């Protein structure tokens, strides 16, 4: 008894007064014919407030899964701190599964591929289901997207193709194309890794931008864009090229090249910038 | 075969070119009558260089252990990045065990207590053994200390009592005294938690400073001090009081009150400041 | 002709696309029986928008004047940049005169003194006049205050005494009391410097807080507070004491002790934190 | 008397304990056939120490002059603060004149042009004279260079052409080439502005790198490089291109794209990064 009390006391001393919580949930997808897991961050006070929150979709990278941001990206600590000071607004954060470590035999990717129509799943099943269940989003002004590497590419491409659905897009070390990719040159087996690589070429964020009509560009201008990539990241050139092309097309985007490589130290610090960015761009 | 090659390729793409490595080691202590584990970070190039490196002792907190900084504090990512840019110099980082989660039945603490003379162990056994084995330290100018909470207190008290051994001391959210501690008031069982609390009172960093002779103060002035504590940390008043007392005693110390509480988000970011601080203060 | 064109071209190349402008204005005060100058920052688009903006009062320090923030604090560059990225919202920034370099013969100070009722002037004359003329403020939710040193003290005391008028208060290196002040001990001439010093004692922010009724504290809790002071500032102890007292009284306040002394490098960087803080705390 | 004492007292309260000082000096150049002014920052303790200090050359931009960094870039505040904490080492900072606001009739530029052989002046006259007079530099290991815009380009090109003279080079918003420059297209008068533009084309840092022999590249690798440019700077593409070319040529360079445009807010903050970078790269 006493020991339990003491342990609790120790715990209380180190916790912030206002902490959100992580819920693990899942959804059966008719499109993918399987159950897809996701983690959700619910901000402090969620249960009792009854109100609708802004939502951000926070995407993991290739060979990762829905637990990455929680386990490796310290997302709960970051969200608790920034919401605590008001640098981020209270929001629901949804981290859906789109992969796994065995990249040859597990589907990875955010786009439609032969046999894995993830983009359809995301917009037709996950988004409406999760936003209803967790009282969040419901409109462009209350919805943002962000992610790392493959998830950074996913965020950008989703925002390009569905600009009416997202108020902001924050891309970390984003995999924006794969035509000159190191990865591609070495592949000759047609397995699940092959398909995700091909899908990144087909959904090249740079090609989309190059070919975009003025109407499409005008829609893209309604999204707030942020590109963030390490100076020693193997994807840095792609991210620079994308920024310059955005400039040329007069779609405003923030760009940051900070110190770093393609790793969790970079993404952890990126999240500290990304949640405030999304917060500033929700409509009021 | 191919799959292995591909997996390696993926891995290579995301690693920095120069990465240190973590070694887990242990030492039988005659003083403690038990084997004590520790983690060591060896910088890139260590094996082949043959030279002697600076060393920093990086201490965990109450109810933690020697794996904390690696598993929860991202210390390897931080060290690799900062050494990579030159913000920190290549150094050996030693993370000794001084506790465990079952605080009632496991010894926690850096000071001498009845039946657990950890300070003796640290200076007589661990330090000479580890510095010899890992070609590091050997003198004040090549040795630093830092730690969080109980380990922050340990760092400060060790540096007060052995100023001729450390060139710098960086204290994170340091437990510097316990006379008015929240924790103490609730304890009546004489168990191992009791003893560590008493030891923190007996080794109060504030009392030491208040009572220090001018000679002792002069020795303290040969150490570079840095106090870093969150504005919502339950220990923030102790850290402010210590800084003001240092000022009064004319022992220069840096102070930072950043946003935060007593948690790993704070300490992870603190380490990004602490390794460069230690690096600047090694003698050249 | 050509030379003018070229000069313009050079200029255009270095200017941000969206820049606010500084207007110098003045107001005859019946209360002070003199004309008081002030600078105003009007955000990009102000002239044509027709809408009402949030306002912040940005106060200078002892021996300074209304031009300081523009000339020495780089306030225009900071505001343009932060409003440009959305880290700060477009707002009107009013910098009123409350002093001058000849501290013995020129009135300095934000409080009522014998012969210089500045607080009355501020709330009865300046605030209504400027907010009407520059389409800003008009309510607590659209009004903030911040300042340095004597102006930091002014900001805190105004927010304590008029909590229904300000949504947030950001104090930089604030002169919050003067009972133990270095400055006071050396004065024996009853001149204008004498009066401002006495006024800071009479308007001690710490005394106010110590003596505040629960009702007053509850009103203070409706303001967002931020205390920011350098670790080597001669006023750092006062600021720490104030923060601890706020904590004790359960009035939430952010605290930052960054590196630095009582100078413009500190305040310039503080402004980069202060404008976003005010922005987050305007009501929406 | 009393007033003077009081004024001094006020002043003392706000100054850091250890402050460097700015000296304005000049040098008659036989090469340029005129007297060239320069500002020098001498660190605290310089006069009495008798020792030789590291030196950094800090260069201004087009249409600026030797007073810019002091008057507009807050260089003294930055240097005092960073040397005070040890983030920068005590060093001499030399700010030579290489221009003026009337760009059509005043020589601007760091390169040799018809009638204005500034590079010759810099290396044959200024450098030896200033380093002797101010007890600094004397070797690559104790010499660094940095600058903004035209001075950023100057720093890079000097380090490319004289890699044996500089331990590090920090380029801020650097004007690295002018072949596609906005400025160039509009010029048809052959005046002094024309010559500086042509000189930037002739001394293109990108062309130099493209054409460099392996021997030259190997010499370039002995310099520590840092490229820093705002994401909305009109020169950002040039800086990205340079970084990518450096990567391709395997000459390591740090790159940062921070928020900002071509202005003093950017350069002021850049200097806070640049002085520590130079400090870390002086040889010990």
């Amino acid at each position: 008894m006493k020991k339990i009390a003491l342990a609790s006391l120790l715990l209380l001393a180190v916790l912030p007064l206002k902490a959100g919580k992580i819920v693990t949930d899942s959804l059966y997808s008719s499109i993918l014919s399987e159950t897809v897991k996701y983690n959700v961050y619910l901000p402090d006070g969620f249960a009792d407030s009854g109100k609708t929150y802004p939502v951000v979709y926070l995407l993991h990278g290739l060979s990762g899964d829905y637990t990455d941001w929680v386990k490796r990206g310290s997302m709960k600590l970051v969200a608790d701190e920034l919401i605590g000071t008001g640098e981020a607004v209270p929001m629901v954060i949804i981290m859906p599964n789109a992969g796994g470590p065995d990249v040859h035999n597990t589907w990875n990717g955010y786009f439609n591929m032969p046999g894995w129509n993830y983009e359809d799943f995301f917009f037709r099943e996950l988004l409406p289901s999760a936003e209803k269940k967790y009282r969040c989003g419901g409109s462009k002004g209350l919805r943002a997207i962000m992610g790392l590497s493959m998830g950074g590419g996913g965020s950008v491409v989703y925002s390009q193709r569905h600009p009416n659905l997202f108020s902001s897009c924050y891309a970390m070390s984003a995999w924006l194309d794969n035509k000159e990719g190191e990865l591609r040159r070495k592949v000759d087996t047609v397995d699940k890794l092959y398909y995700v690589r091909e899908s990144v070429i087909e959904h090249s964020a740079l090609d989309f931008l190059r070919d975009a009509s003025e109407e499409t560009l005008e829609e893209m201008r309604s999204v707030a864009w942020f590109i963030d990539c390490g100076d020693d990241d193997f994807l840095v050139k792609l991210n620079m090229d994308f920024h310059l092309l955005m400039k040329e097309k007069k779609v405003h985007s923030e760009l940051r090249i900070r110190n770093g490589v393609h790793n969790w130290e970079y993404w952890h610090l990126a999240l500290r910038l990304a949640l405030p960015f999304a917060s500033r761009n929700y409509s009021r």
Side-chain angles (χ1 to χ4, degrees), chain A:
Chain A
M1 267 293 285
K2 182 166 289 296
K3 286 182 189 174
I4 290 167
L6 272 164
S8 308
L9 191 73
L10 273 168
L11 215 58
L12 279 173
V14 303
L15 285 180
L17 295 175
K18 299 189 176 183
K21 71 180 205 181
I22 303 291
V23 174
T24 298
D25 203 341
S26 67
L27 173 75
Y28 179 76
S29 165
S30 308
I31 293 167
L32 301 177
S33 299
E34 64 180 61
T35 295
V36 180
K37 289 190 166 184
Y38 58 101
N39 270 332
V40 186
Y41 171 87
L42 300 174
D44 177 67
F46 178 85
D48 302 326
S49 77
K51 62 177 187 172
T52 297
Y53 288 81
V55 65
V56 61
Y57 293 87
L58 178 57
L59 309 184
H60 66 74
L62 180 69
S63 84
D65 68 28
Y66 75 102
T67 66
D68 274 12
W69 273 106
V70 173
K71 285 189 189 160
R72 310 184 67 190
S74 302
M75 71 77 51
K76 186 174 178 309
L77 289 177
V78 171
D80 283 351
E81 178 187 334
L82 297 177
I83 293 172
T85 59
E87 286 164 89
V89 298
M91 62 177 109
V92 171
I93 303 175
I94 296 177
M95 294 156 278
N97 203 65
D102 180 0
V103 294
H104 300 284
N105 299 301
T106 305
W107 283 113
N108 273 268
Y110 295 99
F111 307 135
N112 287 347
M113 297 171 241
W116 175 254
N117 289 324
Y118 195 91
E119 185 173 348
D120 291 348
F121 157 73
F122 187 93
F123 288 98
R124 294 193 207 154
E125 295 181 327
L126 174 69
L127 189 148
S129 161
E131 296 192 4
K132 185 173 177 195
K133 187 164 182 183
Y134 294 104
R135 289 199 327 268
C136 62
S139 66
K140 174 186 173 81
L142 290 181
R143 193 184 293 116
I145 192 162
M146 54 183 65
L148 71 91
S149 195
M150 182 181 84
S155 300
V156 169
V157 172
Y158 279 12
S159 300
Q160 286 179 323
R161 292 160 59 92
H162 309 269
N164 56 323
L165 292 185
F166 300 103
S167 55
S168 71
C169 169
Y170 192 111
M172 307 165 184
S173 317
W175 194 20
L176 295 166
D177 198 347
N178 200 40
K179 280 191 279 302
E180 303 173 33
E182 275 308 301
L183 297 172
R184 193 181 185 216
R185 291 201 293 268
K186 311 296 178 352
V187 184
D188 42 17
T189 315
V190 178
D191 59 6
K192 288 177 176 168
L193 181 59
Y194 170 83
Y195 283 116
V196 62
R197 288 165 174 175
E198 291 300 308
S199 79
V200 171
I201 297 172
E202 285 162 27
H203 292 77
S204 160
L206 285 102
D207 288 349
F208 184 96
L209 194 51
R210 247 178 240 113
D211 301 340
S213 66
E214 179 51 35
E215 190 183 17
T216 298
L217 293 173
E218 190 58 23
E219 285 176 337
M220 282 183 66
R221 288 180 196 119
S222 72
V223 180
W225 301 87
F226 202 117
I227 306 297
D228 181 1
C229 189
D231 68 336
D232 292 319
D233 195 300
F234 66 102
L235 297 174
V236 70
K237 185 179 182 317
L238 271 179
N239 281 271
M240 288 175 177
D241 287 348
F242 183 73
H243 178 74
L244 293 171
L245 196 51
M246 291 282 273
K247 229 174 237 245
E248 192 185 314
K249 298 290 188 176
K250 300 194 194 316
V251 184
H252 180 75
S253 170
E254 297 291 324
L255 173 70
R256 300 294 181 276
I257 309 287
R258 297 182 291 114
N259 184 52
V261 294
H262 206 74
N263 71 11
W264 280 102
E265 184 69 9
Y266 199 84
W267 303 321
H268 180 163
L269 297 181
L271 189 63
R272 296 182 63 90
L273 305 175
L275 294 182
F277 179 74
S279 298
R280 292 195 297 267
N281 288 293
Y282 291 129
S283 55
R284 302 175 172 195

